[in-house]
Amino acid sequence: MNDEKFMRQAIELSKLAVEHGNEPFGAVLVKDNEVVYTNENQIYTMKDPTFHAEAGLIRRFCMETGIRNLSEYTLYSSCEPCFMCSGAMVWVKLGRLVYAASNLDLEEILEKKGSNCSQMVFEHSNHKPEVCAGILREESINVLKNYFTARRN
Ligand SMILES: [Zn+2]
């Protein structure tokens, strides 16, 4: 299944992000069944707390291509996007969002409530991508757990 194939790549990027000194989140942008752009979390190496995998991907892809409308694109994210990244998806009219771990999964791992729910953003916006949740969820949860549990101890 293609969703799994692209999600696997997003999860691989989330592992690379950790190797590069950042947090475990990755994103892959796909059009017509082909990967057109990838990005990983870069908040520490770029010294930019807003450089999340998804928002960073959207910013760079649009800047480099001049494309402003992503209604024909699918974005794969290793974890449910935060408020900011969900907002970026609204601004580019993203066609489809697929994510692995949910924000609830992340909250459980972090042992804190963030209510960083993408659904909330989309419900209050004039654009909502088609959303598909839980693809390779367990694999993503494992990467998140490895990282955040190690940091806590
Ligand atoms: Zn984000």
Side-chain angles (χ1 to χ4, degrees), residues 52 54 81-82 84-85:
H52 291 185
E54 309 95 316
C82 72
M84 174 186 72
C85 294

Side-chain angles (χ1 to χ4, degrees), residues 69-135:
N69 183 318
L70 301 189
S71 54
E72 306 283 307
Y73 294 73
T74 299
L75 196 150
Y76 293 82
S77 180
S78 62
C79 187
E80 182 176 357
C82 72
F83 280 127
M84 174 186 72
C85 294
S86 303
M89 290 169 197
V90 171
W91 286 112
V92 295
K93 298 185 165 47
L94 179 70
R96 186 163 175 258
L97 165 68
V98 183
Y99 63 81
S102 71
N103 187 61
L104 280 175
D105 296 327
L106 183 62
E107 282 181 353
E108 212 164 279
I109 293 163
L110 296 175
E111 292 176 350
K112 67 178 178 194
K113 280 249 166 286
S115 69
N116 235 339
C117 181
S118 62
Q119 199 59 31
M120 230 188 283
V121 174
F122 297 141
E123 272 168 16
H124 293 278
S125 301
N126 57 10
H127 175 81
K128 183 185 187 302
E130 181 192 332
V131 177
C132 177
I135 300 285

Side-chain angles (χ1 to χ4, degrees), residues 11 14 16 32 37 45 57 103-104 109-110 114 118 131 137:
I11 292 172
S14 76
L16 274 180
D32 300 329
Y37 214 85
T45 47
L57 182 151
N103 187 61
L104 280 175
I109 293 163
L110 296 175
S118 62
V131 177
R137 175 170 169 253

Side-chain angles (χ1 to χ4, degrees), residues 20-22 39-52 56 59-60:
H20 296 151
N22 295 297
N39 188 46
E40 59 192 60
N41 178 287
Q42 301 182 49
I43 58 169
Y44 296 122
T45 47
M46 295 297 284
K47 299 183 174 63
D48 177 357
T50 71
F51 213 121
H52 291 185
R59 218 150 58 213
R60 287 202 157 167

